Amino acid sequence: MLKEVRCGIYTRKSNEDGLEQKFNSLDAQRVACEKYIKSREGWVVLAKRYDDGGFSGKNLERPAIKELFEDVKAGEVDCVVVYTLDRLSRETKDSIEVTSFFRRHRVNFIAVTQIFDNNTPMGKFVQTVLSGAAQLEREMIVERVKNKIATSKEQGLWMGGTLPLGYDVKDKELIINEKEAKTVKHIFERYMELKSMAELARELNREGHRTKRFEAKSGKVYGGEIFKKATVRRIITNPIYMGKTRHYEKQYEGKHEAIIEEEKWKKAQELIKNQPYRKAKYEEALLKGIIKCKSCNANMTLTYAKKENKRYRYYVCNNHLVGKSCASKSRNIVAGEVEKEVMKRAEHLYKNWQEKAEEWKNLNFGEQKEAVKKLIKGVTVKEDGIVVSSESGEIFIAMNLKKKGNKCTVVEPEGKTNNALLKAVVRAHLWKRQLEEGKYRSVKELSVKINIGTRRIQQILRLNYLAPKIKEDIVNGRQPSSLRLADLREIPMLWSEQVEKFYKLAS
């Protein structure tokens, strides 16, 4: 009697178009694979589905394929079946590594439309050629799309994306929505008066205004939410409102009609640029990028420590921050004291910088910060003081850099990205548990319930593959200060590789 061969079918589609249909591309791939398996004696189809809908083949950061890898390791799969090799991966390196992984675990691999024996030299050669062709095709598609977008934007065409408030789309062209256009004009006028995006956002919400509400092709409704400071900033800085399109840093004359006069739009940008410094809850890092630890030559990062419900600012050696060795006794130094001495030195240099320059005391914080960047080349922290470097030379300033009390516990890195990371990690854990417990039968059902796109949910769910150390650091606020949520879009399979990749961001 033949031994039963348990076959796991893996399917993938690069985008979500058509996935809402009763019979979609993933189903078509699965049917073809099932037919092949049924034609082989003793082969059986595993009921468990490994479907990655809406995931590119450029890397292996896909939830279903990672689940397949885990089941292969656990000995629950004898053969992996795909429709074509490029469903597994469009990167030659990844494709070869994955099939080698299958061989190490004594698991067969079949692409039903490209039959070859990848255990023989000729089969391996054929696989390499097919993988290379798939990778070339993907790269050519990417290049064509990039060129098409760039060319179209140069011609002033609307190339899709989030629909801006004040416009509707008709025949792929932006048409002014008169009711929303009044709101946009109101936003620009009130910003020129209030000079505060946060205050303007609060006012808009009190008056009952909401963000652009629109329906995607899939039928899902987006927007209609309250205004936030970031939402107001995106509107005010968007050149589309003065009749232009933007591609990276370049602007082109658009085919659509403007809502805001160009002169008024530019005045708003000038106001943003010259906005006077307002002391915020989290102060800026004045010495960002120029302050270094003398002992290990690593940059130092602004962090915050919490003690008795108060927050204190410190510059911390990056090596020390990520757990690497640093012999210096001044690994953590009080930010305010050092910044004050550097400011004094910058003020002295400023007097001799430009003869007709405005007096230092009349400059706002933003202008003083720009002056520091131009006048101060570097700040090196030693055991007994700091060395301030400028074009006129170096000067040593003796300081007592020892902190009083116990060692600080860093609870929040510079900026507010910690909150976004923490929220995403908590969401990933919660959604995974809810899906496993059956509260939601699928990601799509979860998406409908919480009003978040399936692709976004799948991106967040990938965070469950993070190494325990990284999760723990994010929860406790000890992750590298440069780590952003966007950096976690591509997560290596191995925990050691994750730590090496993400913690290098801080070095």
Side-chain angles (χ1 to χ4, degrees), residues 11-182:
T11 63
R12 181 184 65 80
K13 188 176 187 297
S14 296
N15 54 58
E16 297 179 358
D17 294 343
L19 291 182
E20 72 282 355
Q21 299 173 1
K22 289 184 178 179
F23 188 81
N24 54 47
S25 174
L26 300 180
D27 297 319
Q29 294 175 44
R30 186 172 181 83
V31 168
C33 293
E34 286 177 345
K35 285 183 179 179
Y36 178 83
I37 293 170
K38 289 175 182 177
S39 70
R40 304 294 297 268
E41 188 178 355
W43 288 29
V44 294
V45 179
L46 291 175
K48 189 172 184 179
R49 296 180 69 113
Y50 302 96
D51 300 331
D52 275 325
F55 288 92
S56 169
K58 67 179 181 180
N59 56 49
L60 298 175
E61 301 308 316
R62 297 169 246 151
I65 201 168
K66 288 185 176 181
E67 192 173 355
L68 174 61
F69 292 158
E70 293 302 319
D71 290 347
V72 167
K73 289 178 184 177
E76 297 174 4
V77 181
D78 300 316
C79 180
V80 174
V81 182
V82 297
Y83 182 65
T84 56
L85 185 61
D86 62 6
R87 296 304 87 195
L88 185 68
S89 175
R90 281 188 178 272
E91 285 289 330
T92 305
K93 177 176 174 290
D94 288 343
S95 180
I96 293 172
E97 284 185 358
V98 170
T99 50
S100 297
F101 168 78
F102 290 153
R103 279 198 300 272
R104 289 197 303 272
H105 288 83
R106 298 186 178 181
V107 170
N108 291 328
F109 170 70
I110 298 292
V112 297
T113 60
Q114 301 162 323
I115 301 298
F116 56 88
D117 184 357
N118 64 355
N119 292 312
T120 65
M122 182 57 72
K124 291 177 183 177
F125 172 73
V126 171
Q127 178 192 343
T128 303
V129 172
L130 292 174
S131 298
Q135 180 175 338
L136 176 62
E137 181 185 5
R138 182 183 71 81
E139 291 174 353
M140 290 180 67
I141 290 172
V142 169
E143 193 64 28
R144 285 198 297 269
V145 170
K146 283 183 178 178
N147 290 337
K148 181 181 178 182
I149 291 174
T151 303
S152 299
K153 288 201 171 185
E154 284 179 16
Q155 296 175 358
L157 299 176
W158 166 250
M159 291 304 294
T162 303
L163 194 59
L165 182 71
Y167 290 98
D168 293 325
V169 173
K170 184 178 180 181
D171 298 328
K172 297 183 179 181
E173 292 185 3
L174 290 177
I175 307 297
I176 289 181
N177 180 316
E178 294 298 340
K179 183 180 178 180
E180 293 179 358
K182 290 180 180 178

Side-chain angles (χ1 to χ4, degrees), residues 17 26 40 42 49 93 100 177 180 220 255 257 277 289 316 332 352 388 417 455-456 472 476 502:
D17 294 343
L26 300 180
R40 304 294 297 268
R49 296 180 69 113
K93 177 176 174 290
S100 297
N177 180 316
E180 293 179 358
K220 184 173 176 58
K255 299 291 186 183
E257 188 179 347
Y277 172 68
V316 182
N332 295 11
N352 303 320
V388 181
T417 53
R455 185 167 192 138
R456 180 61 176 167
E472 183 180 344
N476 294 318
F502 298 133

